[in-house]
Amino acid sequence: MKKFTLFGWFKNISIAKKLYFTVGIMALLIGIELFALFFSINTLSSVRAYVEGEGLWSKAQKDAVHHLLRYGITRDENDYKKFNEFIKVPLGDSKARKELMKPNPDLEIVKQGFLEGRNHPEDIDGMITLFSRFNKISYINKAIYYWGEAEPIALKLIPIADSLHKQINSGAPSLEKVNDLLKKIDPITENITGPEDNFSFTLGEGSRWLEDLVLKLLFVIALSVEISGLLLAISVSRSIQKGLTEIINATGSFAKGNLSAKAKVFSKDEIGVLANSFNTMSAELEKSINEIAQAERKFKGLLEAAPDAIVITNNEGLIKLVNAQVEKLFGYQRNELLSNKIEMLLPGKSKFAGLIEIEKNENLVSDIQGRKKDGSAFPVEISFSPIHTEEGLLISAAIRDVSERKHIKALENKNKELEQFAYIASHDLQEPLNTIHSFIHLFEIENKIKLDDEAKAYLGYIQKSAERMTELITDILEYSRIGGKSQTDIVDCNKIVKDVLDDMKASIAETKTSIEIDNLPTIRAYPVELRLLFQNLISNAIKFRKKNMDCIIKISYKKGNENHHFTVQDNGIGIDEKYKDKIFIIFQRLHGTKQYEGTGIGLAHCKKIIELHHGNIWLESQPGSGSKFHFTLPEND
Amino acid sequence: MRKKLKCVLLVEDNEFTNIYNQKLIVNLNIAENIYVTESAEDALDFIGRKGKYSSTQIKYADPDIIFLDINMPGLNGWEFIEEYKKLNVKSNHPAQIVMLTTSPNPDDEQKAKQINEVIAFKRKPLAQNIIVDILKEHFPAHL
């Protein structure tokens, strides 16, 4: 268990409580001081009352002596009465003193006694208190002793007065006796002066002592009030200041960028709470600043990794940020571009805002010229996107060099044109050929009898040539038509191969060809073209078989890495390695038409079909030991 | 004596082809009248008795068979068929169309199959046996 200390407790209470506590302590101390003051004044006032009482006592005793002496001379009863009046004062005081000396004094009797002693009624309570409370104090004790000493002396006057009164009222008073009695009075007066003086003196000394004591006491209390007040104030203000200084230092350090700056917590009061709040806040801020920094790093990373050149400008067209691709594309260093106008890169365009209507999402602009550092111009396409930031609208422009694409586009157009040209040309070439065919035919029918053998042979040559030309043109036409209009579909390769083999049934039977086929996949492809591909490869295998042995064809399939891998293998005459590329070019033939029929377009078709599918076709072969055609088709759903 | 076709119409822009085709049909001796039109527009005029065929002197028969070329300047074969349908020739004597093409395109063949009026889609040149096959299938009475 934690040990409780006043300091520790005071440190951790709230500042308001600290202040209340301080003020409370001061109020208590001031109360004590006031009480002490009140008490001392009361006590001093009681001392004064005793001094006064002594004065009255002394005067009454003297008046009593005076009237008694006078009574002896005048024998006037009034003087006697006066004596009795005055002597009542010491008697009253005596009564009070005697009562007070008892262990349990009857205060009524005491009061009565003091009243008879002609003391002021308001002083009497104080006198009683002083007597009963401080009778142990040496001064008071002594004074009481002297009082007790003087009192019986004074009271000796009463028997003298009684005797004198009797003598005078005896009817024949003896002068001698009267004088004897009167002579007894003087020594009493003389005896009484000593203790009387001592009494006053002692009281005076006591009151000085008390005065001194009270002053000292008041001084000590006042001093302690001031010191404790001062100490408390210092302690409170120092603890506040210490905590605040710590917080101010921490915030200053934080503002200068030390994000992990924390304020030390000294107490659990408001300052401590404030320090804790600051620490929580700074931790949160540090976290979010770190997150922002991380996001910024990520953004910069993305920016740098982007394949396009990215330029970020403000709304006025000043370049704010570029990535490495910009340096690469335009040949500038990054710092040469920053804070410059976008015009540097895109001549004539002072800012993006004029080029586009950002807010309308019309954010792609082409047909713009970019300019490199060396001054050369190149076509670019720019896609814009607005970025709304605290600094206002920023525009991010992804700039792409489209010279390559334009080049490719031009090539594609050329290619299309060529295909179109081939199609139209071949169609238009067919017409006159058809006419030649037709009329040779008619001519033959109508002039059969008239023609000699030579003429018939010539006609045959014309006929054959025309037929070959028709074949060539038909092939060009088909070649140019591959993939022209058709669409991909899900096709079962097993079915396609089966259909092809059905069509070629006659030639397969005739050549005694045997065919092995793996289980083939179902894939997405151009059906008509894929069929043509298998047909060409199979018919090629049959066509280039060895004359002296049966033809064996093996169609295999293997699932490749993201593609379909097919092979068509034969045991035919094979092809020399050096022709492995040439065979795929249109109208390239390795053999004379007499040896092997054909136009030489079959494998060109195959290549074009494979390219249409974005696949590959290649050959593995040795002359005399068969050929193995491989082709792959990419796997797309 | 077998029955002859009343009228065969040739629609073809190539004059040599027309001479050849006409000769084939004449040699087969299957038609009473063979008319040659050198464009789709001309053929439509013939069928609709318009233009140079509007004369009331000569009585032109409605064609039983039309040999129609696809590729022609002006209206092509397909457009001719569209226009022919609009003429709304009497349903008791609709022509049977044989489409002829130099470069047979599989798409064109598919398209031709969708048209009721087209009875055949043939590659040029036309030959006697082709005509005979068509007659066997569609006009058996005329052989």
Side-chain angles (χ1 to χ4, degrees):
Chain A
M1 201 177 140
K2 218 173 149 188
K3 203 178 147 193
F4 177 84
T5 60
L6 188 66
F7 182 72
W9 167 81
F10 186 68
K11 202 173 74 178
N12 290 329
I13 57 169
S14 72
I15 292 176
K17 277 185 183 158
K18 273 179 191 152
L19 291 175
Y20 292 146
F21 180 79
T22 307
V23 170
I25 294 274
M26 304 293 286
L28 181 70
L29 288 172
I30 289 167
I32 290 170
E33 188 164 1
L34 284 175
F35 174 76
L37 196 63
F38 171 76
F39 175 76
S40 339
I41 287 169
N42 258 355
T43 309
L44 281 174
S45 163
S46 303
V47 172
R48 172 198 49 79
Y50 273 105
V51 172
E52 260 179 37
E54 189 272 337
L56 288 169
W57 187 91
S58 174
K59 191 174 176 289
Q61 182 263 330
K62 283 188 171 73
D63 283 343
V65 168
H66 168 74
H67 282 286
L68 194 59
L69 288 174
R70 207 176 131 113
Y71 179 57
I73 296 161
T74 60
R75 307 208 180 152
D76 185 353
E77 194 62 23
N78 281 332
D79 283 329
Y80 179 67
K81 276 181 188 162
K82 287 245 175 93
F83 165 79
N84 277 335
E85 278 298 305
F86 284 117
I87 205 70
K88 267 183 191 163
V89 175
L91 269 176
D93 286 338
S94 169
K95 189 157 91 187
R97 186 185 67 84
K98 279 176 183 155
E99 190 61 34
L100 278 171
M101 296 289 270
K102 288 176 185 166
N104 288 310
D106 183 346
L107 293 182
E108 280 308 311
I109 296 170
V110 177
K111 276 184 187 168
Q112 189 61 43
F114 277 132
L115 275 175
E116 284 168 7
R118 293 200 185 160
N119 289 295
H120 197 282
E122 286 182 11
D123 285 339
I124 289 172
D125 282 343
M127 292 170 81
I128 294 169
T129 308
L130 187 69
F131 194 98
S132 50
R133 200 173 286 163
F134 297 109
N135 56 15
K136 297 280 186 307
I137 303 269
S138 64
Y139 299 105
I140 304 294
N141 196 289
K142 249 190 205 167
I144 292 169
Y145 167 77
Y146 288 128
W147 179 7
E149 198 177 315
E151 195 182 84
I153 300 171
L155 295 184
K156 278 182 188 161
L157 290 172
I158 295 170
I160 295 171
D162 284 346
S163 304
L164 194 62
H165 188 243
K166 254 183 211 161
Q167 194 62 48
I168 288 169
N169 287 336
S170 62
S174 155
L175 189 62
E176 196 182 346
K177 277 188 180 172
V178 170
N179 283 342
D180 281 347
L181 284 170
L182 289 178
K183 273 176 193 164
K184 281 180 185 171
I185 292 171
D186 272 350
I188 287 172
T189 310
E190 278 164 26
N191 283 343
I192 224 163
T193 311
E196 215 176 350
D197 284 353
N198 282 341
F199 179 84
S200 308
F201 185 72
T202 310
L203 268 186
E205 220 172 318
S207 78
R208 269 193 301 282
W209 166 81
L210 187 63
E211 212 174 272
D212 193 43
L213 182 74
V214 166
L215 276 178
K216 276 180 186 158
L217 188 69
L218 286 179
F219 178 74
V220 167
I221 290 172
L223 201 66
S224 69
V225 166
E226 277 172 18
I227 288 172
S228 63
L230 211 60
L231 284 178
L232 282 169
I234 288 169
S235 148
V236 171
S237 87
R238 274 185 68 178
S239 86
I240 290 174
Q241 202 171 14
K242 192 172 162 196
L244 281 179
T245 308
E246 182 65 25
I247 292 169
I248 288 164
N249 288 343
T251 51
S253 168
F254 189 84
K256 278 180 191 152
N258 176 14
L259 299 185
S260 54
K262 295 277 174 296
K264 229 183 257 169
V265 180
F266 296 107
S267 60
K268 290 179 187 161
D269 61 8
E270 286 89 334
I271 303 293
V273 171
L274 183 61
N276 273 327
S277 307
F278 167 76
N279 288 344
T280 312
M281 181 197 77
S282 76
E284 285 295 318
L285 268 176
E286 187 186 6
K287 199 173 134 201
S288 44
I289 287 171
N290 282 340
E291 277 168 5
I292 290 168
Q294 208 175 346
E296 204 171 302
R297 276 199 299 280
K298 214 182 266 175
F299 169 72
K300 287 221 165 122
L302 278 175
L303 193 70
E304 291 304 330
D308 293 330
I310 294 178
V311 177
I312 295 177
T313 73
N314 66 7
N315 213 17
E316 301 305 312
L318 289 182
I319 297 170
K320 290 281 177 193
L321 201 64
V322 299
N323 67 357
Q325 301 297 325
V326 173
E327 296 181 303
K328 219 158 137 193
L329 184 59
F330 288 90
Y332 284 102
Q333 291 294 308
R334 210 169 281 229
N335 48 11
E336 292 177 278
L337 292 170
L338 295 179
S339 298
N340 276 309
K341 285 238 158 196
I342 188 65
E343 224 167 350
M344 255 178 112
L345 303 177
L346 305 172
K349 316 290 178 199
S350 63
K351 52 184 179 180
F352 287 139
L355 282 179
I356 40 150
E357 293 194 57
I358 284 284
E359 304 299 339
K360 287 188 184 166
N361 280 337
E362 289 174 10
N363 49 11
L364 188 79
V365 183
S366 30
D367 293 328
I368 285 188
Q369 291 289 309
R371 189 167 58 196
K372 299 191 182 192
K373 196 182 180 184
D374 63 17
S376 59
F378 61 105
V380 294
E381 183 185 270
I382 309 178
S383 51
F384 297 96
S385 34
I387 309 172
H388 296 279
T389 70
E390 285 176 5
E391 299 165 49
L393 179 68
L394 294 181
I395 297 164
S396 152
I399 304 176
R400 200 165 298 168
D401 179 355
V402 291
S403 18
E404 186 73 4
R405 200 200 298 167
K406 285 210 158 172
H407 186 61
I408 290 170
K409 186 93 189 158
L411 275 180
E412 276 174 0
N413 284 343
K414 257 281 128 65
N415 237 7
K416 278 238 168 72
E417 252 171 48
L418 275 175
E419 276 174 21
Q420 194 66 18
F421 171 77
Y423 180 78
I424 290 167
S426 57
H427 176 265
D428 288 351
L429 286 172
Q430 295 270 31
E431 288 266 4
L433 264 181
N434 277 338
T435 310
I436 294 171
H437 274 301
S438 313
F439 284 98
I440 290 170
H441 186 61
L442 266 186
F443 189 82
E444 259 189 329
I445 293 171
E446 294 183 0
N447 301 288
K448 229 170 197 168
I449 320 133
K450 300 174 207 166
L451 290 176
D452 62 13
D453 286 350
E454 207 175 13
K456 277 181 189 162
Y458 293 166
L459 265 185
Y461 301 152
I462 298 171
Q463 177 82 14
K464 277 259 159 62
S465 300
E467 272 169 11
R468 174 142 185 82
M469 194 160 173
T470 306
E471 263 176 46
L472 286 169
I473 290 169
T474 308
D475 284 350
I476 297 178
L477 203 60
E478 265 175 27
Y479 183 78
S480 67
R481 206 181 268 151
I482 287 172
K485 277 179 190 160
S486 52
Q487 286 186 333
T488 60
D489 201 353
I490 304 294
V491 293
D492 179 359
C493 295
N494 294 304
K495 186 173 184 306
I496 287 199
V497 171
K498 189 179 174 293
D499 287 351
V500 169
L501 296 180
D502 281 350
D503 283 356
M504 300 171 71
K505 214 184 276 171
S507 81
I508 289 170
E510 189 191 320
T511 56
K512 293 181 184 163
T513 299
S514 61
I515 302 176
E516 286 175 44
I517 309 164
D518 278 1
N519 186 29
L520 303 179
T522 296
I523 60 174
R524 175 168 281 280
Y526 293 89
V528 175
E529 282 77 5
L530 194 63
R531 189 179 192 283
L532 186 57
L533 176 74
F534 278 110
Q535 185 182 309
N536 281 334
L537 291 175
I538 294 167
S539 65
N540 253 12
I542 294 173
K543 189 155 87 180
F544 297 105
R545 68 188 181 277
K546 282 178 179 162
K547 299 292 178 212
N548 54 357
M549 63 163 77
D550 290 346
C551 176
I552 303 167
I553 300 172
K554 187 168 167 31
I555 301 173
S556 324
Y557 167 76
K558 200 169 66 194
K559 171 85 185 66
N561 188 20
E562 294 185 357
N563 62 23
H564 302 286
H565 186 166
F566 296 83
T567 54
V568 178
Q569 189 174 11
D570 62 47
N571 58 345
I573 59 171
I575 301 168
D576 196 314
E577 184 76 1
K578 65 184 173 196
Y579 297 121
K580 69 180 168 58
D581 292 327
K582 209 176 176 188
I583 52 167
F584 293 110
I585 299 171
I586 191 166
F587 297 142
Q588 290 289 337
R589 293 173 49 85
L590 303 181
H591 308 278
T593 33
K594 271 193 183 161
Q595 210 178 342
Y596 293 102
E597 292 176 344
T599 55
I601 204 162
L603 288 174
H605 270 163
C606 292
K607 176 127 177 112
K608 197 172 176 194
I609 290 165
I610 290 296
E611 280 170 358
L612 175 70
H613 286 89
H614 305 290
N616 269 316
I617 184 164
W618 68 97
L619 169 71
E620 203 183 303
S621 180
Q622 289 291 320
S625 53
S627 306
K628 190 174 186 181
F629 282 92
H630 296 258
F631 66 91
T632 58
L633 300 173
E635 197 180 17
N636 29 21
D637 55 83
Chain B
M1 177 74 188
R2 64 192 164 86
K3 212 171 141 193
K4 279 189 183 178
L5 294 169
K6 271 266 177 325
C7 175
V8 172
L9 179 66
L10 303 180
V11 188
E12 166 68 64
D13 58 309
N14 186 313
E15 57 168 318
F16 298 124
T17 307
N18 278 332
I19 293 168
Y20 173 72
N21 289 347
Q22 203 176 356
K23 190 87 183 169
L24 279 185
I25 297 163
V26 169
N27 287 352
L28 279 171
N29 193 23
I30 53 166
E32 285 175 17
N33 297 293
I34 304 169
Y35 291 98
V36 175
T37 51
E38 291 194 340
S39 71
E41 290 86 345
D42 194 22
L44 289 168
D45 279 353
F46 175 85
I47 295 161
R49 314 272 189 271
K50 284 182 198 152
K52 61 182 178 188
Y53 305 103
S54 57
S55 154
T56 47
Q57 304 289 315
I58 312 162
K59 185 128 173 71
Y60 297 107
D62 288 330
D64 299 296
I65 298 185
I66 301 173
F67 288 95
L68 174 66
D69 184 26
I70 293 178
N71 273 302
M72 287 181 290
L75 293 180
N76 65 22
W78 306 113
E79 289 157 347
F80 168 82
I81 293 172
E82 291 303 307
E83 294 302 315
Y84 175 72
K85 283 184 190 166
K86 284 184 203 159
L87 287 178
N88 220 354
V89 177
K90 294 253 165 23
S91 58
N92 60 357
H93 203 91
Q96 307 289 300
I97 298 174
V98 176
M99 294 198 90
L100 298 173
T101 176
T102 311
S103 43
N105 182 328
D107 294 345
D108 284 350
E109 196 166 348
Q110 280 303 312
K111 194 170 163 189
K113 278 185 185 164
Q114 310 297 317
I115 302 168
N116 284 333
E117 288 81 356
V118 177
I119 56 168
F121 185 90
K122 296 292 175 188
R123 183 174 180 167
K124 289 199 249 181
L126 202 56
Q128 280 195 349
N129 61 330
I130 296 173
I131 299 172
V132 170
D133 286 348
I134 291 168
L135 288 180
K136 265 186 200 161
E137 194 178 345
H138 298 280
F139 301 92
H142 299 275
L143 268 177

